[in-house]
Amino acid sequence: MRDFQLRTDLERHRVGDFLLPLGVEPTGLPEPVQGYTLEFEPGEDDGPDTYAFHVVVSHERLKPIIDAAFALLPAEVTPIVEVGSRDAYRSMDVLLGAEPVPIDDFLRVWYAFEEILIEDVCIGAGANAEEPLIEVFVDPWKGIVIHVPVEMRERIERLLAGFGLAEVAETWPLDLDREERPLSRTREVLTLEDEHSPDLDELLLQLREAWQLELDVDPEENVDDAGRRLGLTLWHVIAMADPAGGDPEDGAYVSMWITAGGLAEVEELVAGWFDASDEWSFREFYSTDRVAFDERPESLSSLPTRRDDAEIHAVSVDRWSAEGPDGPPPRPGREPPQ
C-alpha cells in the first residue's frame, strides 16, 4: 500500500483573515469569530456536571492548541472517530474504541495521520476518558471540543487565554445551516493518482485497526437517526477475507447483499457464509451499510418490497494476489457528506 499524500495543487482558501482547511472551498461562507463558546451541561445518571468548550481558530493556529488540549488527557483514553456515513438511514458514523488504549498509543496514531485529520473535513477524531471525565475532539470542520468537569473550567480558560482566545457569543453564525444556498463545498485532499491510491476509506481502515474502533450502534436494533424502528432493511456488506489455504498475503473482498434487522443479524449471516466456505475465511468487515430499497442494484430488481426473513441475496468475490504489482484491488470510495 502506498503512503498517504496530501494534494499539492490545492489553494488554501480564506474568508477574511480566517484560513480554512484544505478540504473546504467557500462559496459565500462568512468569516467566523475566533475564540470559544462555552456551554454548561448538567450531569446525567449521577454523572458530574461539565463544561463544553468549542474552540474555532484560523488553520495556522490549530495545531498548538490541539497539542495543548491532548496534554490534558490521562494515561488511558478511548479513541473516537466521526465520518460522514454512506448508510441510507444515518448521516454520521460514530466509531469508538472497544477498550481504552494508552495515551502514547493514541497520540502515535494521531500524529501519524494528523496532516490529513486537520485538513479533510469529512472526518473528525479525538479521545475521551472517564477518570477524570475529559474529552478532546477535533470536529470535521476542525473546531476543537474540550469537554471537562466544572472544576476544570478556570484551567481551560487560562490555557486558551494563553493562545489569545476569549469566550465569544458565537463563532460560526448560528443560522449558517438555514441558508437556502450552499455556502461551501467539500473537496478531496488526498492525492489519488489511480484507483489503487490510499483514500479516506483506507485511512478509516487503518484507524479502526490501530484504535480498535467499533461502530457505536446497538447491534440488536435497526433504527434511523430519529430512533424510528425500521424492521428488516437491505444491507450492502464488504468483508475482507483470507484464503483457507495458500499465501496469507493473498485475499479477497467479499461483497454481500443482505436483508437483516440489525447489525448482529448481519454479522451472524456473514459468519454462516464463511463457515460454509471451503475457500475463504473471514478477516474483518470493511463496511456494513444499509441501502434504501430503491437504490438496490439491477441484479436485485426482482427482490420483493416486503421481506419477512433475514437472508443473503447475492455474493461476489473480488480476489487479489500478493504477486500483483499494486497489491489489493481498488475498494469502493466513500462519498463526502453533503
Side-chain angles (χ1 to χ4, degrees):
M1 181 59 65
R2 304 175 193 174
D3 291 336
F4 293 92
Q5 297 289 338
L6 282 178
R7 290 171 58 181
T8 59
D9 61 329
L10 295 179
E11 173 192 359
R12 186 181 302 282
H13 290 286
R14 69 168 66 232
V15 287
D17 292 327
F18 190 91
L19 291 176
L20 295 164
L22 286 177
V24 177
E25 184 176 1
T27 57
L29 197 64
E31 181 180 2
V33 177
Q34 298 190 56
Y36 63 86
T37 55
L38 182 61
E39 183 176 353
F40 173 76
E41 299 184 1
E44 297 180 357
D45 300 326
D46 297 325
D49 297 339
T50 59
Y51 280 107
F53 293 77
H54 186 240
V55 183
V56 172
V57 293
S58 183
H59 194 271
E60 78 280 6
R61 304 176 67 186
L62 190 62
K63 184 174 172 10
I65 302 175
I66 294 174
D67 291 342
F70 280 155
L72 300 167
L73 293 168
E76 286 194 331
V77 298
T78 299
I80 311 165
V81 169
E82 291 185 2
V83 64
S85 182
R86 287 181 298 205
D87 188 283
Y89 304 101
R90 184 176 58 244
S91 60
M92 187 72 67
D93 288 344
V94 178
L95 299 103
L96 299 177
E99 299 288 343
V101 300
I103 183 64
D104 289 346
D105 290 351
F106 167 77
L107 292 174
R108 174 181 51 79
V109 177
W110 170 273
Y111 288 122
F113 296 110
E114 182 181 52
E115 189 177 35
I116 304 167
L117 292 172
I118 65 174
E119 298 287 7
D120 195 315
V121 295
C122 295
I123 188 170
N128 65 24
E130 293 186 0
E131 190 58 46
L133 185 61
I134 298 177
E135 178 171 313
V136 177
F137 183 77
V138 182
D139 68 29
W141 270 58
K142 312 317 160 192
I144 307 168
V145 178
I146 306 174
H147 204 166
V148 295
V150 291
E151 60 269 21
M152 290 185 64
R153 172 179 174 173
E154 292 186 0
R155 178 181 175 184
I156 306 305
E157 288 175 334
R158 289 194 301 270
L159 183 151
L160 296 176
F163 291 99
L165 298 174
E167 184 179 357
V168 298
E170 66 175 15
T171 51
W172 292 102
L174 296 177
D175 59 354
L176 208 58
D177 293 337
R178 294 195 289 271
E179 290 286 339
E180 294 183 359
R181 61 188 178 87
L183 300 180
S184 65
R185 290 190 292 265
T186 60
R187 57 184 181 178
E188 177 63 65
V189 301
L190 288 169
T191 299
L192 302 179
E193 296 177 344
D194 54 42
E195 58 190 6
H196 295 279
S197 299
D199 58 6
L200 184 59
D201 274 332
E202 176 66 23
L203 172 62
L204 282 172
L205 184 64
Q206 293 196 27
L207 291 178
R208 280 168 45 197
E209 292 175 346
W211 284 340
Q212 304 169 50
L213 298 172
E214 296 179 352
L215 191 62
D216 185 31
V217 299
D218 185 338
E220 302 295 337
E221 293 192 349
N222 195 24
V223 298
D224 64 10
D225 272 342
R228 292 183 291 258
R229 297 183 182 277
L230 302 174
L232 293 173
T233 53
L234 191 63
W235 299 68
H236 183 221
V237 174
I238 300 176
M240 301 180 70
D242 294 317
D247 192 333
E249 295 300 318
D250 294 347
Y253 297 106
V254 180
S255 174
M256 301 183 182
W257 288 92
I258 296 172
T259 287
L263 187 58
E265 201 164 44
V266 167
E267 293 175 348
E268 183 179 349
L269 288 168
V270 172
W273 186 89
F274 276 102
D275 286 344
S277 173
D278 295 328
E279 187 174 2
W280 300 106
S281 62
F282 177 80
R283 181 191 302 177
E284 63 181 314
F285 284 102
Y286 174 68
S287 63
T288 52
D289 297 310
R290 295 170 295 184
V291 179
F293 186 73
D294 290 346
E295 299 298 322
R296 67 194 187 282
E298 182 65 28
S299 60
L300 298 181
S301 59
S302 61
L303 192 67
T305 304
R306 180 176 176 83
R307 300 175 304 283
D308 298 321
D309 299 308
E311 62 178 306
I312 297 176
H313 303 293
V315 179
S316 61
V317 178
D318 188 4
R319 65 186 66 207
W320 75 78
S321 171
E323 297 178 358
D326 296 306
R331 292 187 286 273
R334 176 180 292 272
E335 295 296 328
Q338 300 299 315

